[in-house]
Amino acid sequence: MSAQRLPFPYRPEAEVVARRLQALQGALDWAAAALVATPWVRGVRRHPPPFWAMESLLKEYPISSAEGLALMRLAEALLRVPDAETAIALTADQLSRADFEGSPDSALARLSSSAIALSKRFLHGEGGQRESGLFARLGARTVVAATLRAVQLLGRQFVLGQDIAEAMHEAAAARRRQPNLRFSYDMLGEGARTAPDAERYLQHYRQGIAAIGAAVDPAQPVEANDGISIKLSALHPRYEALQRERVLQELVPRVWGLCRQAADFNINLTIDAEEVDRLELSLDVFEALAAQVARETPQWQGFGLALQSYQTRAQELVAHVAEIGRRHGLRLMCRLVKGAYWDAEIKRAQELGLPHYPVFTHKHHTDISYLACAKAMLEAKDVIYPQFATHNAGTIAAILQMARRNGAAFELQRLHGMGEGIYREVLHDPQVACRVYAPVGQHRDLLAYLVRRLLENGANSSFVHQLADESVGLDELLQSPLHLAPVSSLPLPPDLYGPGRRNSAGLDLAVASMREPLEQALASTTVPMMAMTDVAAVPAAVERSLAAGEHWARTPVEQRAAILRSAADAMETDLPRLCALLVKEGFKAWGDSVAEVREAVDFLRYYAQQAERLLQPVALPGPTGESNELRLTARGAWVCISPWNFPLAIFTGQVAAALVTGNTVLAKPAEQTPAIAAEAVRLLHGAGVPRDALQLLHGLGETIGAALVAEPRIAGVVFTGSTQVARTIQRALAAKEGPIVPLIAETGGINAMLVDSTALPEQVVDAVMQSAFRSAGQRCSALRLLCVHEAIADGVIEMIVGAARELVTGDPAEWRTDIGPVIDDDAFANLQRHLQRLQREAKALLPPSPFDPRTRLITPQAFEVAGVEHVKHEIFGPVLHIARWGGDPQAVIHAINRIGYGLTLGIQTRIDSRAEALAREARIGNVYVNRNMIGAVVGVQPFGGEGLSGTGPKAGGPHYLARFCAEQTVTVNTAAAGGNVALLT
């Protein structure tokens, strides 16, 4: 892996902004810039852009409104739906949630008076009754056809052409109206998931460069010519930091071919910006290409990179790119943008439990960063030709001011379909050049582009949004951004759950400095041998547990909760070593290991918080003269039997729940992973749990586990594992004399995902790869059965097969590994038997996994089956069944229900009412809509199933701790002393 080029991305926002403000001192007179921008704004407001321009659209239908959201969702999905029934359902679902009839005179208002009005009559949501008869059917189709036309009109405003020839024709027409325009063409489409995807995008780029190059004058300066923007994630299906060596080997030659082609035509080629976790990788690729440009086409000055100013390390990025230019003797064309993935970056930082956000949380902080980066780019005029992409009038005026002071050449940029009003005013100055970033592609590929643009510019704080709102005065619109907000506008990721529970701290494995402690821990960690507990020792262990319980149950709940929090802090501190143990003993990949330690920490903190709330006495209402109080009390000694697939998280969760409620614990970990359990016990003992209150008994399930369950003095059993073993435990408990002992069981399932034809295939494939194959499919929540609508099944299945081929199976200690070995020889042999059966009974979609019992590696496997009813067994490994469906999606859910398991269900649809209806109908514990089906977060997605998948209550949920408790009601006759004083006062 490469060294880190840029500073740590997760730094305190205020510190970074303070440095940016310092860099701008004396460089900019904002008041003067605002004066320059004022007539531009007045000109736009006197002559507003047409209805379909982004500014007007967002003014009329802000994305915070039902109408704006409906438009966005229809634009994202409707054009790709191939079957009429689903198109009708989607249109009905979205239009029924909005009211376009109050619009002013506009194209959409005219549409609403006919097509959208018809929807109220002919279209109903999921489960509703549609009018019968031919007229109703024709009416529904008419509504959909009209809505399709409206969405196509919307698409035409933001996509310059459906192919490069059409786009260049439109560009030529635009240049006749405004001669000083240049264009950078961008081929629409999602990032590649498969090798054929990447090859297809490569061909599109080659064709685009050839067409653009044929139309330009190679003798004029490269910046005067049109150019192309390329996305590296479209050219490689695994464009990820942990696949760096492969990316450099395979991707760099592909992009160099495009660079060479662009150099031959003397057009510019810009590498588009990617997400934060890929920035270092992008720089590795960029410098490898810069070195090759310097060697082979040093005269070409059209190579460049897009830089995002909303990242906290943007100014350092500018400096680093300038350094690359100087090192290789190149002048680079660099586009400065504010950023396109803000919401995704915020969510990722929260999910990963990172210390700070990698992007600014205040809009004006991004503006400050943009100006500081602009200044740095202008100062690097010897190696950077700056291209400033912005629609903010104040920012444009500030750039013009700084550029004229500096004497640097530059150009401005805007997006096609946006900012036309402002640039109409700005470009009255013939010395200012503007390049239009112009998407090219089919309207059905609008998602990644249009929705991102709507989200970027639809916020109330957006200049584009405020420009169209005349209630926002000029002083407010053009106020200086040059001030520091000392506190983040959002809770930091550690504070996500409020003051009562700190979010567990995680790592971003794309950052080299965060990987380093894990590598050091791996080198120094060994898995100790664990002695088996003698079955004869069980009665004495129970005796010690009961004796310890007398004191532990009387320990105040606040003290028990404090011990759990102390253990959580210790576990968090010890994360690298615990991860190394999980890799070595549990054969987990690094990402899964970090997530598991975090889940264990979350269990400790969540149950500590819940116990303090739940175990307080509750006063109940009653007649005067008495008090009534409900209390929860400890039951006694609990047996906790945990699995090998989450040997730290589930072990810790079970033990913590029992301990914090005042019970003592006899913990029997999985025989495959006892060392990890021993570490958890060590940390809990170190935090203050008495040794006899928590005892570890390592052994086989059929010996130690059976002896513990059969012990007459235990108060309860909590078990996670197979349905078969849960039934054995249930029968053993029922057969015992004495008290009725509760069983909390979480078992597996034949977990399904239903995909309808509105779902985005790329999103489905991402969810399937994670849900079916992550952790080698050895999760009780893993996807086992994928049900895909027949209208899109061929394409989705082809993409799944291609994406699965890109996954890396191997040593889990290697960063690039996606799928490690299955847990033991028995699991490997059992999976081989299942795979042999499926080879006979179903259609194999992927090559057979190589048979090597020494490695126990099984590559991703997928089989097409005739229907839901053909999947009868849970296969605990990286094995996916795929079935096609048509007709009523409710029938698919009923078929899934009949299987009898009820743990997890995925639903992929853009029809909101359908998702709601299917979730209601499913007898499933955890339903996930438009995302993966794994990785339930403690306190956020309480986890557990029903039917054959468990007894409940859900782990990590508000009802879990109560099952570990007995209930006691205490009633006191307060009037017993001779009278009811309460009535006399």
Side-chain angles (χ1 to χ4, degrees), residues 286-288 290-295 298 323-330:
F286 184 74
E287 179 152 23
Q292 202 155 357
V293 170
R295 286 194 304 271
E323 181 189 335
I324 290 174
R326 293 190 181 102
R327 188 183 309 137
H328 297 287
L330 298 176

Side-chain angles (χ1 to χ4, degrees), residues 437-582:
Y437 184 87
V440 179
Q442 300 294 310
H443 294 154
R444 64 173 176 267
D445 292 327
L446 270 174
L447 166 70
Y449 179 78
L450 177 60
V451 173
R452 186 56 46 198
R453 301 292 87 81
L454 286 167
L455 289 172
E456 280 174 43
N457 296 282
N460 291 337
S461 60
S462 160
F463 182 89
V464 168
H465 186 87
Q466 293 183 348
L467 176 63
D469 185 356
E470 294 191 10
S471 69
V472 179
L474 288 177
D475 289 345
E476 181 182 353
L477 185 65
L478 295 172
Q479 66 182 327
S480 171
L482 303 177
H483 59 92
L484 172 64
V487 180
S488 169
S489 72
L490 298 169
L492 293 177
D495 305 322
L496 182 62
Y497 304 126
R501 173 166 73 103
R502 194 165 80 251
N503 189 13
S504 55
L507 302 174
D508 181 356
L509 298 184
V511 178
S513 61
M514 286 186 141
R515 293 194 301 268
E516 188 176 342
L518 300 177
E519 293 172 338
Q520 292 172 352
L522 185 74
S524 62
T525 299
T526 57
V527 180
M529 294 295 294
M530 297 287 297
M532 291 272 196
T533 302
D534 191 332
V535 174
V538 167
V542 174
E543 191 67 42
R544 290 194 302 275
S545 187
L546 293 172
E550 295 180 10
H551 171 73
W552 182 246
R554 289 195 298 271
T555 301
V557 63
E558 293 79 11
Q559 186 176 334
R560 297 196 300 260
I563 289 173
L564 259 61
R565 291 190 178 101
S566 177
D569 294 346
M571 192 173 284
E572 199 167 69
T573 300
D574 214 13
L575 180 142
R577 196 172 63 85
L578 292 170
C579 286
L581 257 182
L582 287 163

Side-chain angles (χ1 to χ4, degrees), residues 620-693:
L620 302 175
T624 184
E626 70 179 34
S627 69
N628 296 279
E629 193 172 78
L630 178 65
R631 305 169 183 171
L632 295 181
T633 62
R635 286 181 177 271
W638 276 74
V639 172
C640 296
I641 303 176
S642 55
W644 50 260
N645 62 334
F646 284 89
L648 180 65
I650 293 178
F651 178 90
T652 302
Q654 291 178 349
V655 167
L659 287 173
V660 80
T661 46
N663 301 285
T664 55
V665 172
L666 300 151
K668 207 296 285 184
E671 50 263 35
Q672 296 91 337
T673 51
I676 296 165
E679 283 301 303
V681 170
R682 183 185 65 82
L683 290 168
L684 283 160
H685 285 163
V689 175
R691 291 190 173 274
D692 286 345

Side-chain angles (χ1 to χ4, degrees), residues 309 336-338 366-374 388-390 395 399:
S309 68
L336 183 65
V337 300
K338 294 197 175 175
T366 293
D367 292 341
I368 292 169
S369 177
Y370 191 94
L371 294 169
C373 290
F388 299 113
T390 178
T395 303
I399 286 167

Side-chain angles (χ1 to χ4, degrees), residues 356-377:
H356 292 275
Y357 294 111
V359 293
F360 299 107
T361 66
H362 292 276
K363 172 67 170 63
H364 75 277
H365 284 179
T366 293
D367 292 341
I368 292 169
S369 177
Y370 191 94
L371 294 169
C373 290
K375 173 177 176 286
M377 291 171 72

Side-chain angles (χ1 to χ4, degrees), residues 180-423:
N180 50 349
L181 288 182
R182 306 161 180 176
F183 288 80
S184 181
Y185 299 97
D186 170 45
M187 307 302 169
L188 280 179
E190 283 288 287
R193 267 59 176 186
T194 70
D197 283 345
E199 180 60 31
R200 186 171 65 254
Y201 288 128
L202 180 62
Q203 292 302 325
H204 287 169
Y205 287 140
R206 285 173 177 161
Q207 293 162 9
I209 292 171
I212 299 162
V216 303
D217 180 358
Q220 66 179 352
V222 66
E223 61 267 22
N225 285 332
D226 290 347
I228 193 165
S229 296
I230 68 169
K231 199 166 178 63
L232 296 180
S233 55
L235 293 171
H236 198 283
R238 297 303 306 275
Y239 188 66
E240 304 162 26
L242 298 185
Q243 305 294 326
R244 176 181 180 271
E245 286 71 24
R246 179 184 170 192
V247 165
L248 293 178
Q249 181 181 357
E250 297 174 359
L251 176 62
V252 169
R254 294 174 198 170
V255 184
W256 166 244
L258 298 176
C259 290
R260 179 85 219 203
Q261 188 184 6
D264 289 344
F265 286 116
N266 199 34
I267 67 173
N268 54 84
L269 181 149
T270 302
I271 294 176
D272 262 344
E274 304 271 358
E275 296 87 342
V276 165
D277 59 302
R278 300 200 263 211
L279 178 56
E280 294 273 358
L281 178 59
S282 291
L283 288 175
D284 288 341
V285 172
F286 184 74
E287 179 152 23
L289 291 165
Q292 202 155 357
V293 170
R295 286 194 304 271
E296 302 194 30
T297 58
Q299 76 287 351
W300 180 47
Q301 296 188 332
F303 184 49
L305 182 69
L307 316 175
Q308 296 174 319
S309 68
Y310 71 3
Q311 290 198 28
T312 57
R313 49 189 178 163
Q315 190 171 341
E316 294 89 348
L317 173 62
V318 173
H320 187 75
V321 170
E323 181 189 335
I324 290 174
R326 293 190 181 102
R327 188 183 309 137
H328 297 287
L330 298 176
R331 190 205 69 168
L332 303 165
M333 293 181 69
C334 292
R335 174 192 301 137
L336 183 65
V337 300
K338 294 197 175 175
Y341 308 99
W342 186 84
D343 55 326
E345 300 289 10
I346 293 292
K347 183 177 182 182
R348 181 174 181 271
Q350 291 175 343
E351 288 178 336
L352 292 182
L354 302 174
H356 292 275
Y357 294 111
V359 293
F360 299 107
T361 66
H362 292 276
K363 172 67 170 63
H364 75 277
H365 284 179
T366 293
D367 292 341
I368 292 169
S369 177
Y370 191 94
L371 294 169
C373 290
K375 173 177 176 286
M377 291 171 72
L378 290 166
E379 290 172 346
K381 59 186 177 183
D382 58 320
V383 288
I384 289 180
Y385 176 78
Q387 303 165 293
F388 299 113
T390 178
H391 305 112
N392 186 314
T395 303
I396 294 170
I399 286 167
L400 293 179
Q401 181 189 115
M402 290 191 291
R404 284 165 181 161
R405 286 183 183 179
N406 185 281
F410 71 98
E411 71 181 31
L412 299 173
Q413 291 196 4
R414 68 170 177 84
L415 295 166
H416 171 63
M418 289 186 59
E420 293 181 34
I422 282 292
Y423 277 92

